[in-house]
Structures are given as C-alpha cells and as structure tokens.
Amino acid sequence: MSSFRKWIVVALGVTLASSASPALAAPKPVDVQLLSLTDFHGYITPQSNAADGTIKDPQGNTLVVGGAPYLAAHLDRLRQGHENTVTFSSGDNFSGWPTEVSYHADEPTIEFLNKIKVEFTTVGNHELDRSLEFLRDHMGKGECFGEAGLDSCFTDSDGQPFHGADFDISTANITMKGDTRPVLPPYVIKRFQGIPVGFINLTTPTTVDGSTSYQPSLDNLPLVETANKYAEILRRRGVKAIVANVHEGGKAGEDYSGCGDQKAGPIWDFAKNASPDIDAIVTGHWHWFFNCSIPDPAGNPRPVVEAANHGRLISEINLRLDRRTRDVIRTATTAANHPVTRDIAPDPAMVKLVDHWNALQKETYAKPYGTITGDLTRTRDATGQSTLGNTVADVEYFDSQQTEGGKADLAMVAVAPTKGSNSLRGDLRFAKGANAADADGKVLMGESWAAWGYANPVVTVSVKGSQLEQALEQQWQTQADGTVKFAPLAVSKNVRFSYSPNRPVGDRINPADVVVNGRPLDTGRTYRLAALAYTLLGADGYTAFAGYTDAVRGSRDYEAMRAYLRQGPLTPPALDRAVALP
C-alpha cells in the first residue's frame, strides 16, 4: 500500500472513530422536579397560632410559616431553573375549617390551587366530606347547587364566577360499594421531554367509614394491592418512572428535613411492601413531616416524604430519568422539605385573593338564615335537656324525613358526650347581637354555623330496640375512679322516656317507660334512628349503636340546621322529653 493510501486509511479511521465516539456516549438524562403540598384544608390566610402558623427547624428554632401569599412565592422560587417541573397535592385540600373558606363551599381553595398551577391531586378523606357528586361535579366541573351566592358559585377574587378545578382529581382505591372500579381516574401520566411519569393516586382506607367523610354508598380498596395493580398497568403501558401519591401517612421524629427512628403510622408498611416499580412515595393525612429513604421490596432505596399541613411545608423530589430505559436513576434522586417562611415578599395576587375572601366572609356571615321566638341555649336542666339540644334532635329527625331512604322513627344527639367533640358549640339568642345586620329573633348564617355542627352528616340507620335501650342506659357511665358521669342524649319530639336515677348504673331505663310515636319501646323490633355519624360510630362514647345496618347519609349538620330554620319561626321546645322518676 502506498504512503498516500495508508494516509487515507489512517485519516479515514481517525475520522470514523472521532464521529463514532459521541454516538457511543450515553444521552443526557432528563431532570424532573416534583413539588407537592398536603392537607392544606383551605388555610389561605396566614395563621398566627403556633399549631397552624409555625414549625421548628432542625436546630429547634421556631419559624413562622404558611399562608397562600407565601406558599405561592416559595413555589415560584423553587421552580426557578427547572425546565421540567410539576406541582401536585396529596389530598385534603378542601373542607377547610377557616370560615372564609368553609362559608363558601371551599371554592376559595380551588381558586388558590388553580393559581399556583396544581396539576393534579389525590382524593383525601375530607374531599368526600359532602359527596362524590360534590367533589366531582362542583369542585371538579364548577356546577352550581343550592342558592347561588349563598350555597355555591361565589365570585372569585378576579370577579369571575366559580368554574371548578383546572387540575385532575384522582383516586385508584375509592369505588362504589361492591365494585372494584375506581370512581375517578386512578392515575395521571405527565410527559417530560417525551418520557412519561405515572402518578398513582391513593386515598386512606379509613375514608368511607370516617365520621365527616362517612359515605355508605362507597368503598375503599387496600393501598398496597391497589398500588401494585396500577404499577403493573403503567409498566404495561410503557411507563417506567412511577410515583405513588398517597393520602395516608405517619410520623418519623421531629425534624421535617430528616427521618427519625421512632416511626408510627401505616405508611411505613406501605413503603416497605409497595411494588419496587414505584420510584418515590409522597404522603399526607397525618399532618406530620419527614424526609425518609426506605428500601423497596427489592432492596433499592426510594424517597418517602410528607409536608405537614396547612401550607407550612413544600416537599420537593428531584428525579433523574434515563433517556434509554425511560426509568428513574434511583441513585440520583434527591428530596427535601422546604418551610414556607414569611421572610420573602408575598405574592401580590394571593394577597388580593386572601383579602377578597375574608371581606366576603363578613358579608356571608350576616346573611339571614331564619327566625326564633326565644333563646336556644345549651343550658341543661336536671334531666340533661336543653332547648338547643332538643332542637338539634328535631333537626336530625327532620333531615331524615327529607332524605331518600331515611324516614327515621326517632333521632338522638349527644349533648354532653363523655369523650370526643360536642356538636353543640354555641347558643342562639333571641336578642340581636353586635352585627349590624342582626335583629331580635333573627338568626344570621354565621350564628347558626357557630351553634351546631362540625361538618358531620346526619345518618339514618337500622338498630334494634334493645340498642336504643342500651344507648339510653349509657347516659350514665362509671369512670375509672368510680364516679358516675352523666352524658345525656337529647331525643326528638316524638319520643318520651323516664328513668330511675337511684337505681344502679345500667339498670335505670325500663323499656316500658320509653315511648316512640306513642308506643312503648319494643326491644325486639328494628327501628330507624337518625344521628350524627360521629355518634353512631361511637366516637363520643356511646357504643350501643355498634352493628347498625342500612345506613343512609343525609345532609351535613350545617345544611340540616339551615333547612330546619327555613321552615318558619322556631319556638324553643319544651323540656318535657325526659322525666326522672322518684
């Protein structure tokens, strides 16, 4: 071979080798930022109390945190420099306790989540505090219900009518009773530079049997089995990068940026047993905080994070995706929890949003709800009766008569429970209050809201007469120190009962002295009973109702009271439903 030909071959070889080298190099991975919040509960207004407005840093210093204006500002800062980013929630966005939100059918929360560009959320238990239809059709699609401007469809901070969520609402494990198909889409797929990432959305299995979220027409599927099912479905669809977004959580120490050894809660079993195809787990529900790395069943670590509650923290997970395998490079995954401090400039649009809904709260509070002819108070007589307690029992009975499948024979309400919450929270006075819109006998919306209820549904169930007798006996409960606590139950106006206060606890009620609709209580008969779900589930100390059947959900306590007040002027009921025998 001539020198010239050798030169050509060598040169060509060098050229080929040089052009081949980049082709052999691994393609640059795709970085994806996941930003999440959980259990926001409508806390748009910055809070001043310790539980809702502070958090401890790893050094034990108290940080002032939270509020929509600061949450939005921190999200904007965290997104800077990230080409691929997605913001989502791990549930319990709605059913806020702040009145600027709860008075307005949780619409302020939706406006806020839309504005901070949330792309999807899992269903938390409190998303079902009203109904599936409320979640799907009102919150999701913006459909109005009731009286516009009082029950729903308020004007937002931009002067626009409510239009519903701009994001997906998803759960893989809430089904209709007896079915296995989820009532909403089970997962969400997002694509980043052509690579899909699947998010399986899951809801705590305690949801449909919880008190506020009690939904007898719905069912829960187990978390691990459901997550594994949809992880396999996503893999078959070619989705290799998978995140579980779970409204269920736990505790892991006191450091929001770390992972303590003393763990509690169901999320840890989930983290250890859920499919190894799941690359990261984002949690909620427990209102706690942690940033952990837990090995999956194959022994490969994956992040498990929770971002407290009420907008105090933001969780960030950074995934690195391999372009060839389209899977997560686990060793390159990072995670952090960021406090939503108030040491940065608040987002002006969110300041406007908060101011708007707080101003509207004052107007909504002052709207008329009904009239009364005398005081309805919690003050109890010697038999445990009060004008408010008897009224509330009548409200429950009334609501059951309006509910398809309800039609209770009687109603009961705990007026001084031995444990848990008391639904009787305030008095309704005949005399006008300080509000300029008030007048003698007038009941304002905010006054009614504050008198009875905690967003609990009235539920009608079937129980035996013997259970009703037992419930009445449980008005007297012997405490650990041997004393007897009186925990009276108010009954509806079609019930009368007598009791013997001098007889032993557990033997103070004679069924013959209990009269329902003019007839003595039949311990062997089945009755339809209306009560709050909280009471039926035994949360306030009455165990007699265990084993009830045929549950039918009626209105929430707030709406039931309003409907009852609208029947006309309400006269305080006589305190003649319980009589102490000599």
mmCIF file of all heavy atoms in Angstrom, residues 392-424:
data_model
loop_
_atom_site.group_PDB
_atom_site.id
_atom_site.type_symbol
_atom_site.label_atom_id
_atom_site.label_comp_id
_atom_site.label_asym_id
_atom_site.label_seq_id
_atom_site.Cartn_x
_atom_site.Cartn_y
_atom_site.Cartn_z
ATOM 1 N N VAL A 392 -81.869 20.399 68.178
ATOM 2 C CA VAL A 392 -80.963 19.679 67.276
ATOM 3 C C VAL A 392 -81.468 18.263 67.019
ATOM 4 O O VAL A 392 -81.385 17.755 65.890
ATOM 5 C CB VAL A 392 -79.539 19.685 67.861
ATOM 6 C CG1 VAL A 392 -78.666 18.662 67.154
ATOM 7 C CG2 VAL A 392 -78.932 21.072 67.745
ATOM 8 N N ALA A 393 -82.003 17.598 68.040
ATOM 9 C CA ALA A 393 -82.589 16.270 67.821
ATOM 10 C C ALA A 393 -83.735 16.360 66.812
ATOM 11 O O ALA A 393 -83.888 15.483 65.948
ATOM 12 C CB ALA A 393 -83.087 15.692 69.143
ATOM 13 N N ASP A 394 -84.534 17.438 66.902
ATOM 14 C CA ASP A 394 -85.621 17.636 65.936
ATOM 15 C C ASP A 394 -85.076 17.924 64.542
ATOM 16 O O ASP A 394 -85.668 17.516 63.539
ATOM 17 C CB ASP A 394 -86.520 18.780 66.391
ATOM 18 C CG ASP A 394 -87.285 18.449 67.662
ATOM 19 O OD1 ASP A 394 -87.391 17.254 68.006
ATOM 20 O OD2 ASP A 394 -87.784 19.398 68.314
ATOM 21 N N VAL A 395 -83.941 18.617 64.459
ATOM 22 C CA VAL A 395 -83.305 18.881 63.163
ATOM 23 C C VAL A 395 -82.899 17.563 62.504
ATOM 24 O O VAL A 395 -83.130 17.344 61.312
ATOM 25 C CB VAL A 395 -82.081 19.797 63.333
ATOM 26 C CG1 VAL A 395 -81.299 19.899 62.022
ATOM 27 C CG2 VAL A 395 -82.508 21.183 63.785
ATOM 28 N N GLU A 396 -82.277 16.683 63.278
ATOM 29 C CA GLU A 396 -81.862 15.387 62.727
ATOM 30 C C GLU A 396 -83.075 14.590 62.246
ATOM 31 O O GLU A 396 -83.041 13.985 61.152
ATOM 32 C CB GLU A 396 -81.106 14.588 63.792
ATOM 33 C CG GLU A 396 -79.768 15.189 64.185
ATOM 34 C CD GLU A 396 -79.083 14.393 65.284
ATOM 35 O OE1 GLU A 396 -79.756 13.623 65.998
ATOM 36 O OE2 GLU A 396 -77.851 14.537 65.426
ATOM 37 N N TYR A 397 -84.111 14.577 63.049
ATOM 38 C CA TYR A 397 -85.331 13.855 62.663
ATOM 39 C C TYR A 397 -85.913 14.448 61.389
ATOM 40 O O TYR A 397 -86.270 13.719 60.449
ATOM 41 C CB TYR A 397 -86.355 13.922 63.798
ATOM 42 C CG TYR A 397 -87.642 13.182 63.512
ATOM 43 C CD1 TYR A 397 -87.722 11.809 63.662
ATOM 44 C CD2 TYR A 397 -88.781 13.872 63.083
ATOM 45 C CE1 TYR A 397 -88.902 11.121 63.397
ATOM 46 C CE2 TYR A 397 -89.965 13.197 62.814
ATOM 47 C CZ TYR A 397 -90.021 11.824 62.972
ATOM 48 O OH TYR A 397 -91.191 11.151 62.704
ATOM 49 N N PHE A 398 -85.978 15.769 61.318
ATOM 50 C CA PHE A 398 -86.500 16.468 60.134
ATOM 51 C C PHE A 398 -85.677 16.120 58.899
ATOM 52 O O PHE A 398 -86.220 15.828 57.823
ATOM 53 C CB PHE A 398 -86.481 17.976 60.383
ATOM 54 C CG PHE A 398 -86.751 18.813 59.173
ATOM 55 C CD1 PHE A 398 -88.054 19.036 58.732
ATOM 56 C CD2 PHE A 398 -85.704 19.387 58.457
ATOM 57 C CE1 PHE A 398 -88.299 19.816 57.606
ATOM 58 C CE2 PHE A 398 -85.939 20.161 57.333
ATOM 59 C CZ PHE A 398 -87.245 20.375 56.905
ATOM 60 N N ASP A 399 -84.352 16.151 59.039
ATOM 61 C CA ASP A 399 -83.494 15.877 57.891
ATOM 62 C C ASP A 399 -83.710 14.459 57.374
ATOM 63 O O ASP A 399 -83.736 14.231 56.156
ATOM 64 C CB ASP A 399 -82.028 16.081 58.259
ATOM 65 C CG ASP A 399 -81.115 15.976 57.060
ATOM 66 O OD1 ASP A 399 -81.069 16.925 56.266
ATOM 67 O OD2 ASP A 399 -80.463 14.922 56.903
ATOM 68 N N SER A 400 -83.876 13.508 58.281
ATOM 69 C CA SER A 400 -84.073 12.118 57.842
ATOM 70 C C SER A 400 -85.358 11.962 57.041
ATOM 71 O O SER A 400 -85.443 11.127 56.135
ATOM 72 C CB SER A 400 -84.090 11.173 59.048
ATOM 73 O OG SER A 400 -85.349 11.197 59.703
ATOM 74 N N GLN A 401 -86.370 12.779 57.365
ATOM 75 C CA GLN A 401 -87.636 12.684 56.632
ATOM 76 C C GLN A 401 -87.504 13.233 55.206
ATOM 77 O O GLN A 401 -88.270 12.864 54.323
ATOM 78 C CB GLN A 401 -88.741 13.445 57.379
ATOM 79 C CG GLN A 401 -88.942 13.030 58.827
ATOM 80 C CD GLN A 401 -89.129 11.537 59.012
ATOM 81 O OE1 GLN A 401 -89.978 10.915 58.364
ATOM 82 N NE2 GLN A 401 -88.332 10.938 59.897
ATOM 83 N N GLN A 402 -86.524 14.102 55.008
ATOM 84 C CA GLN A 402 -86.292 14.663 53.669
ATOM 85 C C GLN A 402 -85.340 13.824 52.835
ATOM 86 O O GLN A 402 -85.161 14.080 51.649
ATOM 87 C CB GLN A 402 -85.716 16.093 53.769
ATOM 88 C CG GLN A 402 -86.342 16.982 54.823
ATOM 89 C CD GLN A 402 -87.836 17.085 54.716
ATOM 90 O OE1 GLN A 402 -88.366 17.346 53.633
ATOM 91 N NE2 GLN A 402 -88.544 16.869 55.819
ATOM 92 N N THR A 403 -84.699 12.840 53.463
ATOM 93 C CA THR A 403 -83.669 12.043 52.794
ATOM 94 C C THR A 403 -84.254 10.755 52.248
ATOM 95 O O THR A 403 -84.917 10.009 52.981
ATOM 96 C CB THR A 403 -82.535 11.700 53.789
ATOM 97 O OG1 THR A 403 -81.973 12.918 54.285
ATOM 98 C CG2 THR A 403 -81.448 10.872 53.120
ATOM 99 N N GLU A 404 -84.022 10.506 50.980
ATOM 100 C CA GLU A 404 -84.497 9.261 50.374
ATOM 101 C C GLU A 404 -83.864 8.068 51.095
ATOM 102 O O GLU A 404 -82.638 7.991 51.233
ATOM 103 C CB GLU A 404 -84.142 9.226 48.894
ATOM 104 C CG GLU A 404 -84.686 8.010 48.167
ATOM 105 C CD GLU A 404 -84.357 8.019 46.682
ATOM 106 O OE1 GLU A 404 -83.817 9.036 46.196
ATOM 107 O OE2 GLU A 404 -84.651 7.015 46.010
ATOM 108 N N GLY A 405 -84.705 7.153 51.574
ATOM 109 C CA GLY A 405 -84.207 6.003 52.315
ATOM 110 C C GLY A 405 -84.002 6.283 53.785
ATOM 111 O O GLY A 405 -83.586 5.394 54.535
ATOM 112 N N GLY A 406 -84.277 7.527 54.241
ATOM 113 C CA GLY A 406 -84.100 7.878 55.645
ATOM 114 C C GLY A 406 -85.318 7.502 56.472
ATOM 115 O O GLY A 406 -85.457 6.385 56.943
ATOM 116 N N LYS A 407 -86.244 8.469 56.606
ATOM 117 C CA LYS A 407 -87.520 8.240 57.312
ATOM 118 C C LYS A 407 -87.308 7.607 58.678
ATOM 119 O O LYS A 407 -87.812 6.528 58.984
ATOM 120 C CB LYS A 407 -88.449 7.353 56.472
ATOM 121 C CG LYS A 407 -88.664 7.831 55.041
ATOM 122 C CD LYS A 407 -89.284 9.209 54.985
ATOM 123 C CE LYS A 407 -89.542 9.633 53.545
ATOM 124 N NZ LYS A 407 -89.920 11.043 53.416
ATOM 125 N N ALA A 408 -86.557 8.297 59.543
ATOM 126 C CA ALA A 408 -86.264 7.761 60.868
ATOM 127 C C ALA A 408 -87.522 7.682 61.728
ATOM 128 O O ALA A 408 -88.453 8.471 61.585
ATOM 129 C CB ALA A 408 -85.218 8.621 61.553
ATOM 130 N N ASP A 409 -87.530 6.716 62.639
ATOM 131 C CA ASP A 409 -88.570 6.636 63.668
ATOM 132 C C ASP A 409 -88.292 7.595 64.811
ATOM 133 O O ASP A 409 -89.220 8.013 65.516
ATOM 134 C CB ASP A 409 -88.657 5.204 64.215
ATOM 135 C CG ASP A 409 -89.081 4.210 63.156
ATOM 136 O OD1 ASP A 409 -90.147 4.409 62.553
ATOM 137 O OD2 ASP A 409 -88.330 3.242 62.918
ATOM 138 N N LEU A 410 -87.023 7.919 65.006
ATOM 139 C CA LEU A 410 -86.625 8.832 66.075
ATOM 140 C C LEU A 410 -85.213 9.325 65.799
ATOM 141 O O LEU A 410 -84.521 8.798 64.919
ATOM 142 C CB LEU A 410 -86.683 8.153 67.437
ATOM 143 C CG LEU A 410 -85.593 7.118 67.779
ATOM 144 C CD1 LEU A 410 -85.534 6.894 69.291
ATOM 145 C CD2 LEU A 410 -85.827 5.804 67.054
ATOM 146 N N ALA A 411 -84.803 10.330 66.584
ATOM 147 C CA ALA A 411 -83.445 10.860 66.458
ATOM 148 C C ALA A 411 -82.855 11.073 67.837
ATOM 149 O O ALA A 411 -83.580 11.304 68.815
ATOM 150 C CB ALA A 411 -83.447 12.165 65.683
ATOM 151 N N MET A 412 -81.535 10.989 67.918
ATOM 152 C CA MET A 412 -80.805 11.233 69.166
ATOM 153 C C MET A 412 -79.579 12.081 68.876
ATOM 154 O O MET A 412 -78.965 11.961 67.809
ATOM 155 C CB MET A 412 -80.346 9.917 69.805
ATOM 156 C CG MET A 412 -81.442 9.051 70.383
ATOM 157 S SD MET A 412 -80.737 7.559 71.146
ATOM 158 C CE MET A 412 -82.205 6.872 71.941
ATOM 159 N N VAL A 413 -79.221 12.929 69.837
ATOM 160 C CA VAL A 413 -77.997 13.710 69.727
ATOM 161 C C VAL A 413 -77.310 13.752 71.090
ATOM 162 O O VAL A 413 -77.961 13.896 72.127
ATOM 163 C CB VAL A 413 -78.270 15.137 69.218
ATOM 164 C CG1 VAL A 413 -79.177 15.904 70.166
ATOM 165 C CG2 VAL A 413 -76.970 15.912 69.009
ATOM 166 N N ALA A 414 -75.994 13.587 71.096
ATOM 167 C CA ALA A 414 -75.211 13.673 72.327
ATOM 168 C C ALA A 414 -75.029 15.139 72.695
ATOM 169 O O ALA A 414 -74.463 15.908 71.918
ATOM 170 C CB ALA A 414 -73.855 13.007 72.135
ATOM 171 N N VAL A 415 -75.521 15.541 73.848
ATOM 172 C CA VAL A 415 -75.413 16.941 74.259
ATOM 173 C C VAL A 415 -74.269 17.180 75.237
ATOM 174 O O VAL A 415 -73.863 18.322 75.448
ATOM 175 C CB VAL A 415 -76.742 17.460 74.856
ATOM 176 C CG1 VAL A 415 -77.844 17.382 73.827
ATOM 177 C CG2 VAL A 415 -77.133 16.687 76.105
ATOM 178 N N ALA A 416 -73.748 16.128 75.849
ATOM 179 C CA ALA A 416 -72.591 16.253 76.756
ATOM 180 C C ALA A 416 -71.823 14.939 76.733
ATOM 181 O O ALA A 416 -71.807 14.186 77.708
ATOM 182 C CB ALA A 416 -73.041 16.587 78.177
ATOM 183 N N PRO A 417 -71.180 14.607 75.615
ATOM 184 C CA PRO A 417 -70.533 13.296 75.469
ATOM 185 C C PRO A 417 -69.381 13.099 76.442
ATOM 186 O O PRO A 417 -68.766 14.063 76.920
ATOM 187 C CB PRO A 417 -70.029 13.314 74.016
ATOM 188 C CG PRO A 417 -69.931 14.756 73.667
ATOM 189 C CD PRO A 417 -71.015 15.449 74.413
ATOM 190 N N THR A 418 -69.100 11.828 76.708
ATOM 191 C CA THR A 418 -68.023 11.502 77.653
ATOM 192 C C THR A 418 -66.643 11.668 77.021
ATOM 193 O O THR A 418 -65.643 11.747 77.727
ATOM 194 C CB THR A 418 -68.160 10.053 78.150
ATOM 195 O OG1 THR A 418 -68.133 9.158 77.026
ATOM 196 C CG2 THR A 418 -69.468 9.869 78.902
ATOM 197 N N LYS A 419 -66.574 11.681 75.700
ATOM 198 C CA LYS A 419 -65.296 11.872 75.031
ATOM 199 C C LYS A 419 -65.553 12.491 73.664
ATOM 200 O O LYS A 419 -66.692 12.619 73.216
ATOM 201 C CB LYS A 419 -64.551 10.540 74.883
ATOM 202 C CG LYS A 419 -65.217 9.551 73.938
ATOM 203 C CD LYS A 419 -64.340 8.314 73.739
ATOM 204 C CE LYS A 419 -64.938 7.385 72.687
ATOM 205 N NZ LYS A 419 -64.074 6.208 72.439
ATOM 206 N N GLY A 420 -64.466 12.867 72.990
ATOM 207 C CA GLY A 420 -64.585 13.403 71.644
ATOM 208 C C GLY A 420 -65.142 14.813 71.619
ATOM 209 O O GLY A 420 -65.097 15.560 72.597
ATOM 210 N N SER A 421 -65.707 15.177 70.480
ATOM 211 C CA SER A 421 -66.213 16.530 70.254
ATOM 212 C C SER A 421 -67.692 16.640 70.586
ATOM 213 O O SER A 421 -68.439 15.672 70.452
ATOM 214 C CB SER A 421 -65.986 16.930 68.793
ATOM 215 O OG SER A 421 -64.619 16.904 68.453
ATOM 216 N N ASN A 422 -68.099 17.821 70.983
ATOM 217 C CA ASN A 422 -69.509 18.111 71.221
ATOM 218 C C ASN A 422 -70.025 18.939 70.053
ATOM 219 O O ASN A 422 -69.491 20.009 69.759
ATOM 220 C CB ASN A 422 -69.687 18.885 72.531
ATOM 221 C CG ASN A 422 -71.141 18.971 72.964
ATOM 222 O OD1 ASN A 422 -72.041 18.908 72.134
ATOM 223 N ND2 ASN A 422 -71.371 19.144 74.246
ATOM 224 N N SER A 423 -71.063 18.461 69.381
ATOM 225 C CA SER A 423 -71.583 19.172 68.211
ATOM 226 C C SER A 423 -72.324 20.446 68.587
ATOM 227 O O SER A 423 -72.509 21.330 67.751
ATOM 228 C CB SER A 423 -72.500 18.253 67.402
ATOM 229 O OG SER A 423 -73.653 17.884 68.156
ATOM 230 N N LEU A 424 -72.769 20.561 69.859
ATOM 231 C CA LEU A 424 -73.418 21.784 70.333
ATOM 232 C C LEU A 424 -72.325 22.755 70.763
ATOM 233 O O LEU A 424 -71.683 22.573 71.795
ATOM 234 C CB LEU A 424 -74.367 21.484 71.499
ATOM 235 C CG LEU A 424 -75.776 20.992 71.130
ATOM 236 C CD1 LEU A 424 -75.726 19.626 70.465
ATOM 237 C CD2 LEU A 424 -76.662 20.938 72.368
#
